[in-house]
Amino acid sequence: MKVRTKSKKVNKAWLHQQATDPWVRLAHKEGYRARAVYKLKEIDERLRLLRPGQVVVDLGSTPGAWSQYVRHRLAPQGAAAGALDGCVVALDLLPMEPIEGVMFLQGDFREEETLARLAQALGGRAVDVVVSDMAPNLSGVASVDTARIAHLVELAVDFAVQHLARDGALVTKVFHGAGYAQWVALFRQRFRTVKVFKPKASREQSAETYLVGLGLR
């Protein structure tokens, strides 16, 4: 009974947080699927990463808010899918409701078969921007969670190194704590410029941070 009571309290607190969160309300008003869109929006507005004509890959895309934003940036006038100026490929382990003009692939990014499907979807085109909001299911065991996060970060960086145009960019989520220094070091090893962002839409209690790599070495 104690566990159930605690669970109810947690759920009630979460629902209250969602109902009172200004970013949640703004996302609903503007037609985005999640408040996370404003994290990418802030990074994009600061660095001017996204523009028409680009090839963009969205890793960990579900529920699709980042892909929605990318599509909007590639077609600011609301172009139909057939006239979309650019290409958006989204990937996630979970299903995602369709977004006009966005190619979605469902699969596990940690598996070679999924990576091969993603490469095939690109058809040999160089990628201008890779955005990744991927995060593992956290166990609460620090050493296990650090290893899981590190694996996803390394996969995202490896994918970027293989597919980005020379002046391309990678945006990926990491977490402050154990392993953070090594992720920053990895980015500095692979990219000419590295930026660190804690977007305003990230909750204060969250350890999430976004690393942006600009221009391959």
Side-chain angles (χ1 to χ4, degrees):
M1 290 296 293
K2 291 182 179 179
V3 174
R4 290 181 62 188
T5 301
K6 183 177 180 181
S7 177
K8 287 181 180 178
K9 288 181 179 179
V10 170
N11 289 338
K12 187 175 181 180
W14 183 85
L15 289 171
H16 175 74
Q17 184 181 51
Q18 289 293 101
T20 58
D21 189 320
W23 299 106
V24 172
R25 293 201 300 268
L26 184 59
H28 180 73
K29 178 182 178 181
E30 296 187 341
Y32 288 111
R33 297 177 180 180
R35 67 191 302 284
V37 66
Y38 299 106
K39 303 171 189 178
L40 179 60
K41 184 174 187 288
E42 181 179 336
I43 293 170
D44 178 43
E45 289 177 344
R46 292 275 297 276
L47 298 178
R48 300 177 183 272
L49 297 176
L50 299 163
R51 56 187 178 275
Q54 291 180 325
V55 175
V56 182
V57 173
D58 180 4
L59 303 175
S61 58
T62 301
W66 279 25
S67 287
Q68 284 180 296
Y69 177 77
V70 172
R71 193 211 179 284
H72 169 71
R73 293 290 290 129
L74 298 192
Q77 304 305 317
L84 184 65
D85 189 0
C87 171
V88 187
V89 181
L91 182 144
D92 202 288
L93 179 62
L94 300 174
M96 185 178 86
E97 289 294 321
I99 298 171
E100 184 182 39
V102 175
M103 180 189 299
F104 174 67
L105 301 175
Q106 185 173 354
D108 191 335
F109 188 65
R110 296 166 295 184
E111 296 178 355
E112 288 294 330
E113 180 184 356
T114 300
L115 290 173
R117 288 170 55 212
L118 182 53
Q120 184 178 26
L122 293 172
R125 292 170 293 186
V127 179
D128 297 291
V129 183
V130 176
V131 295
S132 172
D133 205 27
M134 291 190 297
N137 292 324
L138 300 179
S139 67
V141 179
S143 59
V144 173
D145 291 340
T146 298
R148 289 176 178 174
I149 295 165
H151 185 47
L152 290 179
V153 173
E154 289 165 5
L155 283 175
V157 171
D158 286 346
F159 177 82
V161 168
Q162 293 178 36
H163 295 282
L164 275 181
R166 178 152 182 80
D167 292 326
L170 168 64
V171 180
T172 190
K173 177 160 67 180
V174 298
F175 293 88
H176 263 291
Y180 177 76
Q182 74 185 50
W183 300 325
V184 174
L186 176 61
F187 265 66
R188 288 177 175 163
Q189 182 182 29
R190 295 297 191 178
F191 296 95
R192 299 194 298 273
T193 302
V194 178
K195 302 286 187 179
V196 180
F197 284 89
K198 175 70 173 179
K200 295 175 183 176
S202 288
R203 292 191 168 100
E204 290 184 9
Q205 68 270 29
S206 173
E208 71 177 10
T209 302
Y210 290 86
L211 294 180
V212 183
L214 302 168
L216 293 172
R217 286 191 180 279

